[in-house]
Amino acid sequence: MRYFALGLAALAFASGASAQQTQQPSATSVAVNPQAPPAAAPISPEQERTVDRLRAAALESNLAWEIVEDLVTEIGPRLAGSEAEARARDWAVNMLREQRFSNVRIEPFTIPYWDATREEASIVGPAPQPMVIAALGGSPSTPQGGLEAEVVRFADMAALEAAPEDAVRGRIVFIDERMQRTQDGSGYGAAVAKRGRCAPVAQAKGAVACLIRSVGTDPHRFAHQGGSSRQSQGASLPAAAISPADADLLARRISRGATRVRLDIQADIRENAPSGNVIAEIRGRERPDEIVLLAAHLDSWDMGQGAVDDGAGVAIVTAAAKLIRDLPRRPRRTIRILLAGAEENGVHGGAAYAEAHANETHIVGAESDFGAGPIWRFRTRFADHALPYGRAIQRQLAPLGIIPGDNAAGGGADIGAMRQAGMPVVDLSQNGLDYFDYHHTPNDTLDKIDPEALRQNVAAYAVFAYLVADSDGVFTAEP
Ligand code: ZN
Ligand code: ZN
């Protein structure tokens, strides 16, 4: 009886129409007799048994933990374009082959390389104090020996934008905006704008450098790294994030009178550094050309270990796919793992993937890149006719404590280009209340991952990926 609740659209959708077929069965025959049993259920009893098995196996599996523990121990931080990122690709290839995935390969591309070799700032007299900072990705170097100037504080980007040029010219701009702690991470979108926009806006008004309060939710003396190059192309102003504790100090100092800061950033900037995506698959038994894409990114910033961002995601999608790989019968469609390179400094891996694979049929994509907190919500970005299928999947996730969300899933950075090209996406939304305490800091270390939450993530990804890969469902608008 459960299947009746799914409605007509689900019945049409579960009827065997492939992504290529335009023919959809008429809903009319069902409508005249709504009590008639559906021709096909979106989730068969056999699939439901498999889902039960996957869920149980995931909740007992330590594989994801073993993967992320190995990544951060054997490789550690993996700055985009670095030698460490190259070692991470080789590590991933070996690991994925060991787990007996198919078509394991590296798809290379090149990126503009950026690394800070020096990042120092201090308040200069009358009471000199060092501050903990992180140069923002893409920041140019200051002159040798650093630069020194008076600091002008703005409560947020809008205040800087409204400021007259003579309040800014020749000064170091300090954007003191705080980030809101939220379960769904929505505070990040609002807070991160200053990371990309401070430099170009301040530069246009004649500033000599940009400092921002770290984009994070902790009060600690760690600065949060992060890219600015993507948003601030064309800006050539040195820019850094200062730790929350030092942002507090700087604000107090400025409230007492004119405050000068010395900033010294030296950056290693090179063109055409090697990066690459690592791909692995479980080939579909009936429709190998139809792809369910599970993504995470392999690179990380380099102050921490890249454990929660995004070693956890690498581990979650790989361990989930491995559970499906170990089923007695492969799903009908192909499940493809994308471990993207060079996400942090410009989502280069996601762009390279979209360029290389634009002509393939992608049924749906999901990305794990929000740490390792438990998943609490399932969101889709499906065409209306496919929404009942989303609800059917959510019901299979409900035993894991996952509630239904809206149809406005974002999908994640590395599958963003594919989403824009029309690929349906879902979000398995993790609880991110503490994610931005550690994000892009030296405190992004393995101990921040809860093994039990990691297992719940694996269970959810396994259930979702299996159901969509073993179905005929089409989630795009009907052609
Ligand atoms: Zn990430
Ligand atoms: Zn990140």
Side-chain angles (χ1 to χ4, degrees), residues 83-167:
E83 177 273 339
E85 198 202 26
R87 281 191 288 118
R89 284 192 293 282
D90 293 340
W91 169 90
V93 165
N94 288 334
M95 181 272 290
L96 292 162
R97 286 198 176 130
E98 262 174 41
Q99 303 298 339
R100 296 170 56 229
F101 288 105
S102 305
N103 298 332
V104 178
R105 62 193 187 271
I106 295 172
E107 296 185 346
F109 52 85
T110 60
I111 60 162
Y113 178 78
W114 178 92
D115 185 21
T117 54
R118 179 193 292 267
E119 42 201 333
E120 294 174 3
S122 54
I123 293 172
V124 181
Q129 291 205 46
M131 295 191 292
V132 174
I133 69 161
L136 293 183
S139 168
S141 301
T142 57
Q144 281 291 336
L147 59 81
E148 188 187 311
E150 189 177 330
V151 181
V152 55
R153 175 187 174 277
F154 296 99
D156 52 29
M157 274 306 299
L160 170 62
E161 274 156 3
E165 274 187 33
D166 58 9

Side-chain angles (χ1 to χ4, degrees), residues 7 30 38 42 48 71 95 148 156 162 172 187 247 266 282 289 339 344 405 407 411 436 450 453:
V30 182
E48 198 168 335
L71 174 59
M95 181 272 290
E148 188 187 311
D156 52 29
I172 296 171
Q266 298 304 318
I282 305 166
D289 295 335
L339 304 182
E344 295 289 11
N407 195 38
F436 292 104
D450 170 9

Side-chain angles (χ1 to χ4, degrees), residues 297 309-310 343-344 369 435 439-440:
H297 66 85
D309 185 14
D310 186 24
E343 188 269 351
E344 295 289 11
D369 184 20
Y435 181 63
H439 182 249
H440 297 181

Side-chain angles (χ1 to χ4, degrees), residues 206-277:
V208 296
C210 230
L211 295 175
I212 61 166
R213 177 183 281 273
S214 278
V215 182
T217 47
D218 61 294
H220 298 143
R221 209 170 189 193
F222 294 119
H224 293 241
Q225 294 179 294
S228 70
S229 53
R230 187 158 37 122
Q231 298 92 338
S232 64
Q233 278 170 357
S236 56
L237 208 59
I242 59 182
S243 80
D246 287 302
D248 292 345
L249 168 68
L250 185 58
R252 291 199 307 274
R253 194 67 253 179
I254 291 168
S255 74
R256 293 176 186 214
T259 302
R260 294 182 71 78
V261 159
R262 168 162 286 279
L263 177 66
D264 189 355
I265 294 172
Q266 298 304 318
D268 177 4
I269 297 172
R270 278 176 270 149
E271 295 305 316
N272 300 316
S275 186
N277 292 329

